[in-house]
Amino acid sequence: MQTADWIALASLVVALAALAVAFYAIYKGNRNSSVATLVTLNDGFRQAWSRFISAVKAEDEEAKYFELAELMNLLEIACGIQSEKSLSGMSNQVVKDYLEQALKLLIGNEYTNQQIPQMLHQPSTFINIKKFINAKRSHLSVVIPPEWYQA
């Protein structure tokens, strides 16, 4: 082998190492981004549930409906993030589990079952929630009101 061949081989090894480092950095970046999204969603849900529960306790029907709509909008965003597979690792599983539990809670509540169908103003309203429910129906252990996913 000539000197040029050794230089080419060394360059190939360095390029492969650089490629491996780049892939690792992308992998870690995606995981960090997923965790940041999870933390943001957690805070958003904590605040949304708190406002909704406060409105329920205050027996303010207008505020209660508004806060439920805001909670549903946040659920719509989270279902969209989950369905487009934007999350990776444990963040993805935590969000899936949370969404399933939140939907079970909302589906099991008489008030929300009366109010949510009234929020469906057009077929695309809560489309990501509908997609999540349809994808997870065999895993959800509750009967989902047809109005939630067929409207």
Side-chain angles (χ1 to χ4, degrees):
M1 276 181 96
Q2 296 180 357
T3 305
D5 293 332
W6 286 108
I7 292 172
L9 183 60
S11 296
L12 178 62
V13 170
V14 170
L16 289 175
L19 188 59
V21 169
F23 279 127
Y24 180 74
I26 290 170
Y27 170 78
K28 291 300 278 184
N30 285 344
R31 288 177 104 52
N32 290 341
S33 175
S34 290
V35 170
T37 301
L38 176 63
V39 169
T40 302
L41 283 173
N42 180 58
D43 189 50
F45 276 116
R46 183 187 55 76
Q47 291 178 29
W49 281 109
S50 178
R51 289 189 310 267
F52 177 63
I53 291 168
S54 293
V56 169
K57 287 180 180 177
E59 298 180 12
D60 181 345
E61 288 302 314
E62 189 174 318
K64 189 164 55 167
Y65 181 85
F66 176 81
E67 295 303 340
L68 176 60
E70 289 297 305
L71 180 59
M72 291 302 294
N73 287 333
L74 186 55
L75 276 167
E76 172 72 359
I77 292 167
C79 285
I81 290 169
Q82 197 280 323
S83 71
E84 70 179 10
K85 298 176 178 44
S86 293
L87 302 174
S88 62
M90 73 88 188
S91 298
N92 186 45
Q93 190 59 49
V94 169
V95 169
K96 279 184 195 176
D97 293 346
Y98 181 85
L99 291 173
E100 288 176 8
Q101 292 304 313
L103 288 168
K104 284 180 187 179
L105 182 64
L106 291 170
I107 289 166
N109 183 278
E110 184 179 334
Y111 173 79
T112 58
N113 281 317
Q114 292 172 355
Q115 300 305 314
I116 290 171
Q118 296 176 36
M119 296 175 190
L120 302 173
H121 301 293
Q122 55 190 12
S124 63
T125 303
F126 302 141
I127 191 72
N128 290 309
I129 294 173
K130 294 172 195 174
K131 287 178 184 176
F132 182 82
I133 289 172
N134 284 332
K136 300 292 177 194
R137 280 173 67 190
S138 63
H139 304 296
L140 293 172
S141 61
V142 294
V143 176
I144 300 160
E147 306 84 45
W148 281 44
Y149 62 91
Q150 292 178 347

